[in-house]
């Protein structure tokens, strides 16, 4: 029994993100697969920090790590009432999974949106007064051209699934989330959702 418990703990530790201590890719995939086979309605949210690369390039990886930790702490705090599964896929990508009861769908979406707003507000502390006033920083893009980038924020692609009604796989959820992320990034709320 002790050996089995130790093995389980070692497996969890190996998959844990070293920075945030949140479950990583394998645990996220296992969560989705288990959810899809268990019945009930689930929310699967894929969250990505916007303009993280230029921020990280301009201010350095230590500030980048602080921004990622700020987001992890914000999402945990804002969603603590629901006790969802929260994973750190890697870099600036996060995952939230939640099985909701009747009447909770709108509440949980509101809590997710509030977490995005709180993060953007708190992330302003990383910038100078001038940057906050202008609402952007100047940094080089991936082609080496200097341009203006908005301050840090986060976008959420939220897929809701009823596994008993649709035969879905973890790959379906990941694909739909990736497609929806483009819509979320261009939305004023930084939020997009779809029912499967």
């Amino acid at each position: 029994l002790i050996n089995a418990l130790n093995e389980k703990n070692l497996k969890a530790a190996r998959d844990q993100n070293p920075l945030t201590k949140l479950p990583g890719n394998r645990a996220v995939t296992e969560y989705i697969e288990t959810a899809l086979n268990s019945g009930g309605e689930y929310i699967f949210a894929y969250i990505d920090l916007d303009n993280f690369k230029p921020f990280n390039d301009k201010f350095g990886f230590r500030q980048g790590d602080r921004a990622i930790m700020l987001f992890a702490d914000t999402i945990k705090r804002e969603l603590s009432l629901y006790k969802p599964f929260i994973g750190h896929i890697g870099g600036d990508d996060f995952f939230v999974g939640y099985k909701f009861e009747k009447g909770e769908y709108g509440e949980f979406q509101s809590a997710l949106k509030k977490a995005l707003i709180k993060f953007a507000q708190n992330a302003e502390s990383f910038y100078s007064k001038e940057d906050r006033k202008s609402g952007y920083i100047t940094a080089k893009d991936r082609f080496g051209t200097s341009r203006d980038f908005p301050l840090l924020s986060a976008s959420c692609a939220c897929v809701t699934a009823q596994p008993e009604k649709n035969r879905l796989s973890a790959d379906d959820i990941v694909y739909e989330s990736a497609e929806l992320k483009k819509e979320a990034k261009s939305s004023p709320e930084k939020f997009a959702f779809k029912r499967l």
Side-chain angles (χ1 to χ4, degrees), residues 44-48 50 112 116 154-158 180-181 184-185 189-193:
F44 303 107
Y46 176 65
I47 306 166
D48 181 35
D50 302 322
L112 274 170
L116 302 182
S155 296
C156 178
C158 194
L180 203 54
K181 185 177 82 163
K185 284 190 173 289
E189 280 190 303
K190 300 289 189 177
F191 193 90
F193 67 94

Side-chain angles (χ1 to χ4, degrees), residues 53-54 57 137-149:
K53 187 177 180 337
D57 289 347
I137 59 168
T138 303
K140 292 193 175 178
D141 63 18
R142 62 186 60 186
F143 306 108
T145 306
S146 285
R147 65 184 193 91
D148 297 338
F149 292 92

Side-chain angles (χ1 to χ4, degrees), residues 49-132:
L49 303 191
D50 302 322
N51 306 304
F52 179 74
K53 187 177 180 337
F55 173 86
N56 201 45
D57 289 347
K58 180 163 180 142
F59 297 110
F61 73 91
R62 285 177 55 83
Q63 283 293 77
D65 285 353
R66 287 185 183 110
I68 286 169
M69 282 301 300
L70 173 65
F71 181 79
D73 291 343
T74 302
I75 201 85
K76 285 189 278 189
R77 186 176 53 253
E78 293 301 320
L79 300 181
S80 63
L81 175 69
Y82 300 93
K83 298 181 175 46
F85 174 89
I86 301 173
H88 186 173
I89 300 166
D92 62 330
D93 296 324
F94 290 82
F95 172 87
V96 175
Y98 182 66
K99 181 178 181 178
F100 61 94
E101 303 297 327
K102 289 226 183 298
E104 282 188 320
Y105 183 71
E107 288 175 21
F108 191 76
Q109 271 198 353
S110 294
L112 274 170
K113 290 176 184 177
K114 184 179 175 190
L116 302 182
I117 292 165
K118 282 273 190 190
F119 169 71
Q121 290 170 343
N122 293 335
E124 288 187 5
S125 66
F126 293 119
Y127 298 95
S128 70
K129 190 176 177 180
E130 293 76 24
D131 292 339
R132 288 195 299 271

